[in-house]
Amino acid sequence: MPTSVSSGPAISRPPLLRLLVLLTLGTVAVALWYLTSYSLRGDGDVRWYPEEAGCELSQGPCRAPLGEGGRLTLDLGAEGEIRALEVLAMTVALEGVEAESVMVDFIGRDMDMGLHRYPLVRQADGAFRGEGQIPICTEAVMPWRARVIVTRGDHRLGSGFNFEAERSRL
């Protein structure tokens, strides 16, 4: 005689509990993403200096003091508009500072657009050069910050420059 196993009444979770579980998992995922993003940037030990006022990277090079007589100059090689997805010929010139390495980060000012870091290479004339690009913009004009990080010995110096990038014409 066949026996049937009867399962009792199915216990279901209340819809509110399901929603709270999903919200909790989402919050944990966002927190882990933010923590990972922050730790990958690795800029917690950088001594930051303000840029000189009134500079527009789209019009030419911008400068910033680096303490104790040092100075850096950033040139994105842009003539006029800075456009997303276009290759930028970046140059960082240093005065009064000996550097082992230089890198440029592009960071969305109003929106986290991820890590866009470009290491530059020292040239024979002492300047650091390399190429980089602004990632695709979600808006017609987006505010960005170019952060220059200079490594010398066991410490790092840096400055940042605000600019706007326009969406590329396709």
Side-chain angles (χ1 to χ4, degrees), residues 63-76:
R63 293 169 193 70
L66 285 181
E68 301 181 20
R71 173 184 298 281
L72 77 79
T73 303
L74 171 63
D75 186 357
L76 294 183

Side-chain angles (χ1 to χ4, degrees), residues 41 51 55-57 82 105-114 116 134-135 137-139 141-147 160-165:
R41 290 193 200 281
E51 71 276 13
C55 187
E56 291 289 332
L57 279 170
I82 297 174
D105 291 347
F106 292 127
I107 298 174
R109 289 193 331 241
D110 295 341
M111 176 185 317
D112 188 348
M113 298 295 288
H116 304 282
I134 308 300
C137 291
T138 58
E139 300 173 12
V141 177
M142 245 179 114
W144 288 87
R145 184 157 180 88
R147 295 190 321 173
F161 305 91
N162 293 334
F163 66 97
E164 292 183 344

Side-chain angles (χ1 to χ4, degrees), residues 76-135:
L76 294 183
E79 296 179 10
E81 302 168 339
I82 297 174
R83 293 199 171 277
L85 301 178
E86 290 185 3
V87 176
L88 299 169
M90 301 181 294
T91 301
V92 172
L94 300 171
E95 300 171 32
V97 176
E98 285 296 320
E100 295 170 11
S101 66
V102 173
M103 64 183 96
V104 176
D105 291 347
F106 292 127
I107 298 174
R109 289 193 331 241
D110 295 341
M111 176 185 317
D112 188 348
M113 298 295 288
L115 181 63
H116 304 282
R117 177 169 286 168
Y118 301 95
L120 306 183
V121 177
R122 184 191 316 262
Q123 303 298 307
D125 63 358
F128 289 81
R129 291 190 178 83
E131 292 182 338
Q133 70 181 154
I134 308 300

Side-chain angles (χ1 to χ4, degrees), residues 137-160:
C137 291
T138 58
E139 300 173 12
V141 177
M142 245 179 114
W144 288 87
R145 184 157 180 88
R147 295 190 321 173
V148 180
I149 300 173
V150 177
T151 302
R152 56 179 271 194
D154 59 351
H155 61 285
R156 301 187 308 159
L157 311 169
S159 188

